[in-house]
Structures are given as structure tokens and as C-alpha cells.
Amino acid sequence: MHKRDFLRTLGGAAAALALSPSQQRLFALPPAELARRDDFWSALRAQYAVPTGFIHLEHGYYSMQSQPVLERYLQHVREVNVVSSHYMRTVQGANKERIRARVAALAGCRPDDLIITRNTTESLDTVVSGFDWRAGDEAVMAVHDYGAMLDHFALMARRWGSVNTRVTVPLDPLSDDEVVQVYANAITPRTKLLMVCHMINITGHILPVRKICDMAHARGVPVMVDGAHTLAQLDFRVPDLHCDFFGASLHKWLGAPLGAGILYVKPGAVETLWPLYGDEGYAATDIRKLNHTGTHPVATDLAIEDAIVFHEAIGIQRKQERLRWLQQYWTSRVRSIPRIRLFTPRDPARSGAIANVGITGMTPGDLATALLERYRIFTVAIDSAGVTGVRVTPQLFTTTQELDQLVRALTELAA
């Protein structure tokens, strides 16, 4: 980027983030260096209504909107309410198409390959239900995958007689090949679909998705990717993953209102899917056939655009570096403490914001309760697929002082 273009971009970000001149100078630092500057991120913290009664370390479920995005969202609610059905019958469709194009640009794909949904579960279950399953058809997935999708595959098995093969992903692999081979070993001539997490939600483990997709495609198997925790957290383009289907939530790392997600379907794959709801208004090759939403809360869609503006003002590389650094900041301090076990890979490149920590002799529920009641630290207990700890998910504005309190709490509980 030329210097004048960089300065123009910086000026736009400064306006969107309400940065002071001194904060703008910090913003110009390389992302890896800025990640360590609490003085900058504390200033960004002012853009959020951070709770004061507890330390919030469970942003992975739903991460709050920034105040600028929240105010715009409330403005959309009021404006749509005033004109009501006039909005719905005149400009609703055009606005949604504009926002769809904006989200597609964020994902790095064509607008024709993406639709706006309510969340990752709706997106991926739309794909799973859309397959023409036959008795004996096989699907491959991991025990660490999200429960809602595992449940939906189980439903297909009960309804159509398909077979679900669950693999166990190594928690701390030494190489990508170790992970890829786990999935390769599960594929048979009857395999019809493979599901894989881009980032495992309970451990934060980033999987080598592109290598898994290439391996599966070489065996004639399409791949569906759960990207709930990677879109707007990691720097990537969806088509570069080489997947056939990709679902994500926008109310996690993009900071959009609750009830916003996406489904990407690679060109040529849409016609293989049956819609959940009948809609004869679109051709069999048009992804919008999968997007019959009825009367929808349109203010949520409108605010997605505002969330993208705020997200792009920060910059995906800055977000990725900051979130990864925060996780490494606290995990590196507790990994060697007796009785403490981390279920997240050691290699920084294999994880992002999310990590999972347990204490030998404490159930995940007891650990989560102790952290909240004794130390006012909010996490979530995870006790499944061999992962027995609490998930810790900071956000951009989480301070090192808050993470120091987490380290102190874990150290005392382990002792």
C-alpha cells in the first residue's frame, strides 16, 4: 500500500473508531507489535459497554456489539418500525442484496455464492438436510464438532438410514499430516460428506482445512466446514479453503447483532441440495432457493453492514494478532503449573483467541463455578469428547490485568 493510501485508510479508521491523535500513532504500528500495546486496546475498550461486575472471558458464544454498531442497530429498528410494511414491500430486497454483497466481499467470495442466515447451525444443517441421503450412505465428522450439527447428522441417520463415522482429532498434533490422516482413514467408498471445523469451538484448535479438503476431494468426497469461530477472527478467504460448503455466525467475531450468519456454497454445488422450504421463485442453481426466511427481523441484516465498517476499521490482521497474543499471554503462564492441563495446541499457529484449561481433580462445572463465585471470572464448562475444562475466550478489549487475575485464580485453585 502506498503511503498516501495508508494514511487515507488510517484516517477513515480513526473516524470510525474515534481515535485520538496519540492513538492513531499507535494504530500505525505493525499488527504484531500493536497486539502487545494495552494502552491502545484500552482506548478501544471505551467503544464497548464492558460489564463491571465480573471479568468477561466467554465471548465465544456471543460477543457484544460495539456501542457505535449497537446505536446504529437501534436506529434501524426505529426507522423500520415507523414505515413498517412499506419498508418490507419496497426496499427490503434491494437492501438485503446490497448487504449480501458486502458480506461476500468480507468472505472473499462472489455474492452469488453466499446467503445470510441466522447462525452457523442453520447454515450447516441446511446443507446436511439438503443432501439426498440413502440407506448406507456415510458421513464423516469429529467427536469435537458442535453438538447441534452432530445431532442433525444423527437425525438423518434415524430418518434415512445413513451412517455417521466420528473421528477423534489429536489435541496437540505435531504436524498437519497427523490431522489429515485421521480424516483420511475414515473415508470409504460409501462416504457422501465430510464435516470439519475450521476452529474447534471447545479447544480453539485450528485445523488444516485446505489440506483436508484436498485430500477428501481426491477421494471424491465433498467437505462442509464449520467456520463459526474463524470468520472475522482469522485472516483468510473462504474459497481459499477449497471447501464445498462453509457456515459461520456473524454475532461472534464480527460483532453483528444476535441472529446473523452466512452460508457459502461453492459454484456448481447448489443444485445438489434440496431446500428446507419450498420456494419456486428461484432456479435450482440459485443459492437463494436455500434462503426462504419469511418475515425476517430486517434491522439485524441492516446492522451487519455497520458491523463490517467497524471490523474493517480495526483490520483483520490487527484482530488476529491481538486475539492470538491474548491467548498466548495467559496460556504460556499456566501450561507448566502442576495439575493444570491445557486442551489447546502449544503451537501458536494452531490456535487463536480460544483456549481450554482444566485442573486435575476438579470437574469442569466446579472449576467454572469457583472462577465465577470466588474470582468473578466468567467462563463456560466443557465436559465432552475427552475435553474436561473451561473455555476461556477473551476479546480485543480484554486487558492483561484481567488475564493476570485468571492466571492467579488458576494457580491458587491448582494448589
Side-chain angles (χ1 to χ4, degrees), residues 108-114 217 238-240 242-246 263-273 284-287:
C109 67
R110 304 183 313 159
D112 288 348
D113 301 330
L114 178 144
H217 290 160
V238 172
D240 291 343
H242 291 183
C243 59
D244 301 87
F245 315 101
F246 178 94
L263 170 61
Y264 160 86
V265 179
K266 80 172 185 180
V270 170
E271 58 197 86
T272 67
L273 300 177
T285 56
D286 192 325
I287 192 172

Side-chain angles (χ1 to χ4, degrees), residues 346-360:
R346 298 171 185 272
D347 183 354
R350 295 189 186 279
S351 59
I354 296 173
N356 190 298
V357 62
I359 295 179
T360 302

Side-chain angles (χ1 to χ4, degrees), residues 176-190:
D176 289 347
D177 289 343
E178 185 180 348
V179 178
V180 175
Q181 194 60 46
V182 167
Y183 286 94
N185 291 342
I187 292 177
T188 77
R190 300 297 300 269

Side-chain angles (χ1 to χ4, degrees), residues 55-63 144 146 199-205 228-229 252-253 327 330 342-344 353-358 364-365 367-368 371 377-383 387-394 406 410:
I55 296 173
H56 195 339
L57 293 178
E58 217 307 79
H59 294 283
Y61 184 16
Y62 160 49
S63 186
H144 304 103
Y146 194 61
M199 178 187 287
I200 295 176
N201 85 93
I202 60 176
T203 65
H205 185 178
H229 286 283
K252 293 184 184 291
W253 299 103
Q327 185 257 104
W330 75 266
L342 283 161
F343 296 90
T344 301
I354 296 173
N356 190 298
V357 62
L367 177 54
L371 286 172
I377 298 173
F378 179 51
T379 60
V380 61
I382 304 291
D383 191 355
V387 178
T388 54
V390 297
R391 186 178 73 177
V392 176
T393 314
L406 172 66
L410 291 171

Side-chain angles (χ1 to χ4, degrees), residues 19-243:
L19 300 179
S20 68
S22 62
Q23 292 159 4
Q24 290 182 47
R25 287 192 289 271
L26 291 174
F27 201 56
L29 293 172
E33 185 176 346
L34 183 66
R36 296 164 168 76
R37 296 298 299 261
D38 257 8
D39 47 351
F40 171 80
W41 298 103
S42 294
L44 184 72
R45 186 182 176 98
Q47 300 291 313
Y48 294 84
V50 182
T52 57
F54 60 92
I55 296 173
H56 195 339
L57 293 178
E58 217 307 79
H59 294 283
Y61 184 16
Y62 160 49
S63 186
M64 70 183 75
Q65 302 162 68
S66 67
Q67 287 299 106
V69 174
L70 177 60
E71 292 305 318
R72 286 287 293 158
Y73 171 59
L74 296 175
Q75 181 180 343
H76 294 315
V77 172
R78 295 187 185 99
E79 290 175 350
V80 171
N81 185 64
V82 168
V83 294
S84 58
S85 58
H86 182 270
Y87 175 89
M88 304 295 283
R89 292 192 180 277
T90 56
V91 296
Q92 175 193 189
N95 283 347
K96 189 161 188 175
E97 286 301 298
R98 184 189 74 249
I99 295 161
R100 181 165 77 125
R102 193 72 185 271
V103 177
L106 175 75
C109 67
R110 304 183 313 159
D112 288 348
D113 301 330
L114 178 144
I115 53 174
I116 297 172
T117 64
R118 291 182 298 171
N119 48 57
T120 311
T121 298
E122 179 179 277
S123 298
L124 300 188
D125 284 357
T126 295
V127 173
V128 176
S129 286
F131 266 65
D132 200 8
W133 297 101
R134 295 286 187 269
D137 287 344
E138 297 176 0
V140 173
M141 62 214 68
V143 295
H144 304 103
D145 284 329
Y146 194 61
M149 272 67 84
L150 294 177
D151 287 348
H152 205 66
F153 274 109
L155 176 63
M156 296 299 100
R158 291 201 306 273
R159 185 174 185 183
W160 306 115
S162 55
V163 178
N164 298 323
T165 301
R166 296 188 183 186
V167 303
T168 300
V169 178
L171 293 175
D172 194 11
L174 298 178
S175 69
D176 289 347
D177 289 343
E178 185 180 348
V179 178
V180 175
Q181 194 60 46
V182 167
Y183 286 94
N185 291 342
I187 292 177
T188 77
R190 300 297 300 269
T191 304
K192 195 165 185 174
L193 179 64
L194 185 152
M195 177 173 70
V196 61
C197 278
H198 196 182
M199 178 187 287
I200 295 176
N201 85 93
I202 60 176
T203 65
H205 185 178
I206 299 170
L207 301 187
V209 167
R210 180 165 173 163
K211 293 181 179 180
I212 294 170
C213 290
D214 290 345
M215 174 277 298
H217 290 160
R219 291 161 170 79
V221 177
V223 181
M224 181 178 75
V225 174
D226 179 347
H229 286 283
T230 54
L231 190 71
Q233 181 187 164
L234 303 183
D235 187 9
F236 71 100
R237 297 174 68 256
V238 172
D240 291 343
L241 299 177
H242 291 183
C243 59

